[in-house]
Amino acid sequence: MENLTIILMNVQEQLKVIQQNADKIIGLEDIEKRLARGKRLRIKLGVDPTRPDLTFGHMVVFNKLRQFQDLGHECILLIGDYTATIGDPSGRSDTRPPLTPEEVKSNAKTYLEQAFLILDREKTIIRYNSEWLGKMSFGDMLMLTRSMTVARMLERDDFAKRYAENTPISIVEFLYPLIQGYDSVMLESDVELGGSDQLFNNLVGRKLQEEIGQEPQAVLTLPLIVGLDGVKKMSKSYHNYIGFNDSSKDMFGKIMSIADETMWVYYKLLLLLSDSEIAALKKEHPMQCKKDLAKRLVSRFFGDEVGKKELENFEAVFSRNEIPVDMPGFSWETLFPGKPEAKLIDILIASNQFATNSEARRALEQGSVKVNQIKETDGFSVIPKPERDIVVQAGKRKFFKIFG
């Protein structure tokens, strides 16, 4: 049925979806020819589980894989469990530390749980590159290295920069693009997806396929989105990210903190709105557009009811300067059993609303902490066990309640 759907669907209509938001497409004519003969394309997206959490930066390329799924093509999410133990330096200025097999396995499990928030679980084929790379001998690897010269490898931007700056480049890093390209050979992929920083690696796969007589894969790269700072690409390393695993409250608040210019990029790359739809939105007030963006994205991860609730809470706090109804609550006896009083800093830390103790102290130093709407800057001030509920606010997004 899916093959019939592909054959009957206009090739140009498919190409329009495929090209949406693409940064570069190498081999578009190959895609068109295969579609014209009714072929069900095999799409490859490889991810190295180097960290346990996905960010909105990953969402851009996952959206494209989902579009291919909706068009009826065969979509493979390749988990680089073998390559993650090597380290891909793409877009980096240094060597990425390798991970242990146990770390990779744990991260991969989390990756898949989050990936299916975007992808259709039933239409996703999961493969692991340890299936073939783990069986290769040293001789096999040496034969693979014949396919690439050092001069060609130094064409990759990050390698060229590091070489020019006399920054060490390990031989194992040189092997990484070859290994990633060999994945494409083993999967016989028709299209490989990746971020714009993966163009070189993906083209290696195209070259290796040509060398052994396979139809070469097309390469489709997608833009890297900027993070909350509006300058650097979204990355956990830069602490400017929105995570798939963020709470609905934090996700909504982070989206509301982005610059107006970044907002339109998120509409385009994360929600897949067309240029004409964005142009129509720009006629509205920017604040309303940003609230709508936050509501839509939160709803995608948590459902429409949660998106609506977070919008109402945000408007209550920021638009009308009210205290949100829905906030974490803690019993005094649970936090401080048998104690008649506690220091404010200890209350902040005990609430677990801060990533670190230092973050709680910074909130006090910056004057962003309020107790029952009264600003507090002294972490050593003593708070007695409350007879009635007290509300503690830290910054614009953190609220929690303590009851006696």
Side-chain angles (χ1 to χ4, degrees):
M1 178 63 72
E2 287 180 333
N3 281 325
L4 181 61
T5 301
I6 293 169
I7 294 170
L8 292 177
M9 187 175 185
N10 185 287
V11 171
Q12 295 307 314
E13 291 177 354
Q14 288 201 64
L15 289 175
K16 184 178 180 181
V17 174
I18 290 169
Q19 293 178 80
Q20 183 183 8
N21 294 335
D23 181 45
K24 285 186 175 65
I25 303 181
I26 310 298
L28 181 62
E29 65 283 356
D30 298 327
I31 296 177
E32 186 171 4
K33 288 175 183 177
R34 292 171 205 181
L35 289 176
R37 67 176 192 252
K39 182 176 184 182
R40 187 181 185 213
L41 301 177
R42 178 172 287 192
I43 316 301
K44 168 197 172 189
L45 171 60
V47 292
D48 279 359
T50 54
R51 292 177 179 268
D53 300 321
L54 297 177
T55 73
F56 277 16
H58 296 94
M59 189 175 173
V60 178
V61 70
F62 278 121
N63 277 343
K64 181 57 65 178
L65 189 61
R66 178 59 189 257
Q67 285 183 315
F68 275 107
Q69 289 183 325
D70 293 341
L71 290 174
H73 297 290
E74 182 180 354
C75 295
I76 301 171
L77 180 60
L78 177 66
I79 304 298
D81 59 333
Y82 193 92
T83 42
T85 62
I86 296 174
D88 174 22
S90 298
R92 295 173 59 92
S93 59
D94 55 7
T95 301
R96 190 181 69 192
L99 302 180
T100 66
E102 292 74 21
E103 289 172 323
V104 171
K105 184 177 180 180
S106 175
N107 290 350
K109 181 181 178 182
T110 307
Y111 257 48
L112 290 177
E113 291 170 355
Q114 296 171 72
F116 291 133
L117 294 171
I118 305 298
L119 302 178
D120 186 326
R121 186 186 297 266
E122 300 301 319
K123 296 180 181 179
T124 305
I125 300 169
I126 305 298
R127 298 292 298 272
Y128 298 84
N129 62 11
S130 61
E131 295 172 25
W132 47 87
L133 296 178
K135 298 174 183 177
M136 290 180 71
S137 68
F138 185 63
D140 294 332
M141 181 57 67
L142 289 178
M143 287 297 296
L144 186 59
T145 62
R146 291 176 176 269
S147 303
M148 187 69 66
T149 66
V150 171
R152 176 68 195 281
M153 199 67 75
L154 286 173
E155 292 175 10
R156 201 168 95 164
D157 286 345
D158 45 5
F159 283 157
K161 290 175 183 176
R162 289 166 62 184
Y163 183 74
E165 295 169 356
N166 292 319
T167 302
I169 305 171
S170 68
I171 297 298
V172 74
E173 291 178 82
F174 264 10
L175 295 177
Y176 189 96
L178 281 171
I179 293 172
Q180 183 173 330
Y182 188 67
D183 291 342
S184 296
V185 171
M186 295 304 295
L187 293 174
E188 299 183 45
S189 51
D190 292 297
V191 181
E192 180 166 15
L193 307 180
S196 58
D197 58 348
Q198 289 293 318
L199 179 62
F200 183 93
N201 291 5
N202 296 352
L203 288 174
V204 171
R206 181 177 168 87
K207 178 178 183 294
L208 293 181
Q209 286 177 314
E210 284 182 306
E211 286 187 357
I212 68 166
Q214 286 185 11
E215 287 189 305
Q217 67 182 15
V219 172
L220 192 161
T221 61
L222 293 135
L224 304 177
I225 64 170
V226 297
L228 301 177
D229 54 9
V231 179
K232 297 180 180 178
K233 74 173 184 178
M234 182 174 288
S235 170
K236 296 196 77 173
S237 300
Y238 297 141
H239 305 288
N240 66 348
Y241 68 96
I242 305 172
F244 282 25
N245 275 348
D246 279 346
S247 68
S248 58
K249 178 182 177 182
D250 284 346
M251 185 179 290
F252 197 102
K254 285 182 178 181
I255 296 167
M256 291 304 300
S257 73
I258 64 176
D260 289 353
E261 196 171 315
T262 302
M263 168 175 64
W264 304 120
V265 176
Y266 284 18
Y267 263 117
K268 182 180 179 69
L269 297 180
L270 302 184
L271 291 179
L272 304 180
L273 266 63
S274 66
D275 290 339
S276 59
E277 289 173 316
I278 292 174
L281 277 176
K282 286 184 175 180
K283 296 177 182 178
E284 306 293 331
H285 192 282
M287 176 57 76
Q288 184 57 47
C289 292
K290 196 174 294 184
K291 288 192 288 189
D292 186 53
L293 173 69
K295 180 176 177 290
R296 291 198 203 190
L297 286 169
V298 169
S299 296
R300 184 165 186 184
F301 285 87
F302 297 93
D304 292 340
E305 286 302 313
V306 176
K308 181 181 177 182
K309 182 200 73 174
E310 293 301 348
L311 173 60
E312 291 172 349
N313 279 338
F314 181 87
E315 289 180 333
V317 175
F318 294 96
S319 300
R320 298 190 295 272
N321 198 29
E322 296 176 3
I323 296 173
V325 175
D326 187 11
M327 72 178 78
F330 306 94
S331 164
W332 180 276
E333 283 301 317
T334 300
L335 299 180
F336 307 105
K339 293 185 177 181
E341 58 187 31
K343 295 175 183 177
L344 178 56
I345 184 62
D346 293 334
I347 292 174
L348 297 180
I349 293 171
S351 72
N352 287 321
Q353 300 301 297
F354 300 86
T356 64
N357 294 354
S358 297
E359 183 183 338
R361 293 188 181 93
R362 280 197 301 272
L364 283 164
E365 292 169 0
Q366 293 167 358
S368 64
V369 175
K370 294 181 180 179
V371 178
N372 286 342
Q373 298 187 302
I374 298 175
K375 183 182 291 188
E376 298 283 353
T377 57
D378 183 4
F380 293 98
S381 63
V382 174
I383 307 295
K385 179 180 178 179
E387 297 180 2
R388 292 181 293 180
D389 295 354
I390 61 172
V391 173
V392 180
Q393 176 183 354
K396 295 182 177 180
R397 296 197 295 269
K398 287 184 173 66
F399 287 83
F400 62 91
K401 184 187 302 182
I402 298 180
F403 45 92

Short mmCIF file of all heavy atoms in Angstrom, two decimals, residues 89 95 154 158-164 166-174:
data_model
loop_
_atom_site.label_atom_id
_atom_site.label_comp_id
_atom_site.label_asym_id
_atom_site.label_seq_id
_atom_site.Cartn_x
_atom_site.Cartn_y
_atom_site.Cartn_z
N PRO A 89 34.48 14.73 15.80
CA PRO A 89 34.81 16.12 16.12
C PRO A 89 34.10 17.15 15.25
O PRO A 89 34.49 18.31 15.28
CB PRO A 89 36.32 16.16 15.87
CG PRO A 89 36.50 15.23 14.71
CD PRO A 89 35.47 14.12 14.91
N THR A 95 39.30 17.19 20.39
CA THR A 95 38.87 15.80 20.33
C THR A 95 37.75 15.55 21.33
O THR A 95 37.84 15.97 22.49
CB THR A 95 40.06 14.87 20.66
OG1 THR A 95 41.10 15.11 19.73
CG2 THR A 95 39.63 13.41 20.56
N LEU A 154 41.67 16.66 5.01
CA LEU A 154 41.93 18.00 5.53
C LEU A 154 41.06 19.06 4.87
O LEU A 154 41.11 20.23 5.25
CB LEU A 154 43.41 18.36 5.34
CG LEU A 154 44.38 17.67 6.30
CD1 LEU A 154 45.81 17.97 5.92
CD2 LEU A 154 44.10 18.08 7.74
N ASP A 158 36.70 21.65 10.14
CA ASP A 158 37.25 21.60 11.50
C ASP A 158 38.64 21.00 11.52
O ASP A 158 39.50 21.43 12.29
CB ASP A 158 36.31 20.86 12.46
CG ASP A 158 35.78 19.57 11.87
OD1 ASP A 158 36.20 19.19 10.76
OD2 ASP A 158 34.93 18.93 12.52
N PHE A 159 38.91 20.02 10.65
CA PHE A 159 40.26 19.47 10.57
C PHE A 159 41.23 20.52 10.03
O PHE A 159 42.35 20.67 10.52
CB PHE A 159 40.28 18.24 9.67
CG PHE A 159 39.74 17.00 10.33
CD1 PHE A 159 39.25 15.96 9.54
CD2 PHE A 159 39.73 16.84 11.70
CE1 PHE A 159 38.74 14.81 10.12
CE2 PHE A 159 39.23 15.70 12.29
CZ PHE A 159 38.73 14.67 11.50
N ALA A 160 40.81 21.25 8.99
CA ALA A 160 41.67 22.27 8.40
C ALA A 160 42.04 23.35 9.42
O ALA A 160 43.20 23.78 9.50
CB ALA A 160 40.97 22.90 7.19
N LYS A 161 41.06 23.78 10.21
CA LYS A 161 41.31 24.81 11.23
C LYS A 161 42.29 24.29 12.30
O LYS A 161 43.21 25.00 12.70
CB LYS A 161 39.99 25.23 11.88
CG LYS A 161 39.08 26.03 10.96
CD LYS A 161 37.74 26.31 11.62
CE LYS A 161 36.80 27.04 10.66
NZ LYS A 161 35.45 27.22 11.26
N ARG A 162 42.05 23.08 12.74
CA ARG A 162 42.91 22.53 13.79
C ARG A 162 44.33 22.31 13.28
O ARG A 162 45.31 22.53 14.01
CB ARG A 162 42.31 21.24 14.33
CG ARG A 162 41.05 21.49 15.16
CD ARG A 162 40.27 20.22 15.41
NE ARG A 162 41.02 19.24 16.16
CZ ARG A 162 40.56 18.02 16.44
NH1 ARG A 162 39.36 17.66 16.03
NH2 ARG A 162 41.29 17.19 17.14
N TYR A 163 44.44 21.88 12.03
CA TYR A 163 45.77 21.66 11.45
C TYR A 163 46.51 22.99 11.32
O TYR A 163 47.70 23.10 11.65
CB TYR A 163 45.63 20.99 10.09
CG TYR A 163 46.95 20.66 9.43
CD1 TYR A 163 47.72 19.59 9.89
CD2 TYR A 163 47.42 21.41 8.35
CE1 TYR A 163 48.94 19.29 9.28
CE2 TYR A 163 48.63 21.12 7.75
CZ TYR A 163 49.39 20.05 8.22
OH TYR A 163 50.59 19.75 7.63
N ALA A 164 45.79 24.04 10.87
CA ALA A 164 46.40 25.36 10.71
C ALA A 164 46.83 25.94 12.05
O ALA A 164 47.81 26.70 12.13
CB ALA A 164 45.42 26.30 10.01
N ASN A 166 47.85 24.15 14.55
CA ASN A 166 48.74 23.17 15.21
C ASN A 166 48.07 22.47 16.39
O ASN A 166 48.73 22.11 17.38
CB ASN A 166 50.04 23.83 15.67
CG ASN A 166 50.92 24.27 14.50
OD1 ASN A 166 51.03 23.55 13.51
ND2 ASN A 166 51.50 25.46 14.61
N THR A 167 46.75 22.33 16.30
CA THR A 167 46.01 21.58 17.31
C THR A 167 46.02 20.10 16.93
O THR A 167 45.74 19.77 15.77
CB THR A 167 44.55 22.07 17.40
OG1 THR A 167 44.56 23.46 17.70
CG2 THR A 167 43.79 21.32 18.48
N PRO A 168 46.36 19.22 17.85
CA PRO A 168 46.48 17.80 17.50
C PRO A 168 45.19 17.20 16.92
O PRO A 168 44.09 17.54 17.36
CB PRO A 168 46.81 17.14 18.85
CG PRO A 168 47.43 18.23 19.66
CD PRO A 168 46.72 19.49 19.26
N ILE A 169 45.37 16.36 15.92
CA ILE A 169 44.27 15.58 15.34
C ILE A 169 44.69 14.12 15.40
O ILE A 169 45.72 13.74 14.84
CB ILE A 169 44.02 15.98 13.87
CG1 ILE A 169 43.76 17.48 13.73
CG2 ILE A 169 42.84 15.18 13.30
CD1 ILE A 169 43.70 17.96 12.28
N SER A 170 43.92 13.31 16.08
CA SER A 170 44.28 11.91 16.22
C SER A 170 43.91 11.13 14.95
O SER A 170 42.99 11.51 14.22
CB SER A 170 43.59 11.28 17.43
OG SER A 170 42.19 11.20 17.19
N ILE A 171 44.62 10.05 14.70
CA ILE A 171 44.33 9.20 13.54
C ILE A 171 42.92 8.62 13.65
O ILE A 171 42.21 8.49 12.64
CB ILE A 171 45.36 8.05 13.45
CG1 ILE A 171 46.76 8.61 13.22
CG2 ILE A 171 44.98 7.09 12.34
CD1 ILE A 171 46.91 9.38 11.92
N VAL A 172 42.49 8.32 14.86
CA VAL A 172 41.17 7.73 15.02
C VAL A 172 40.07 8.71 14.57
O VAL A 172 39.03 8.30 14.05
CB VAL A 172 40.94 7.28 16.49
CG1 VAL A 172 40.71 8.47 17.41
CG2 VAL A 172 39.76 6.32 16.59
N GLU A 173 40.32 10.00 14.72
CA GLU A 173 39.35 10.99 14.25
C GLU A 173 39.29 11.01 12.72
O GLU A 173 38.23 11.22 12.13
CB GLU A 173 39.72 12.38 14.77
CG GLU A 173 39.54 12.54 16.27
CD GLU A 173 39.96 13.93 16.71
OE1 GLU A 173 39.15 14.85 16.59
OE2 GLU A 173 41.10 14.08 17.18
N PHE A 174 40.44 10.80 12.08
CA PHE A 174 40.46 10.70 10.62
C PHE A 174 39.62 9.52 10.14
O PHE A 174 39.05 9.56 9.05
CB PHE A 174 41.90 10.51 10.14
CG PHE A 174 42.57 11.80 9.71
CD1 PHE A 174 41.99 13.03 9.94
CD2 PHE A 174 43.80 11.76 9.07
CE1 PHE A 174 42.61 14.21 9.54
CE2 PHE A 174 44.43 12.93 8.66
CZ PHE A 174 43.84 14.15 8.90
#
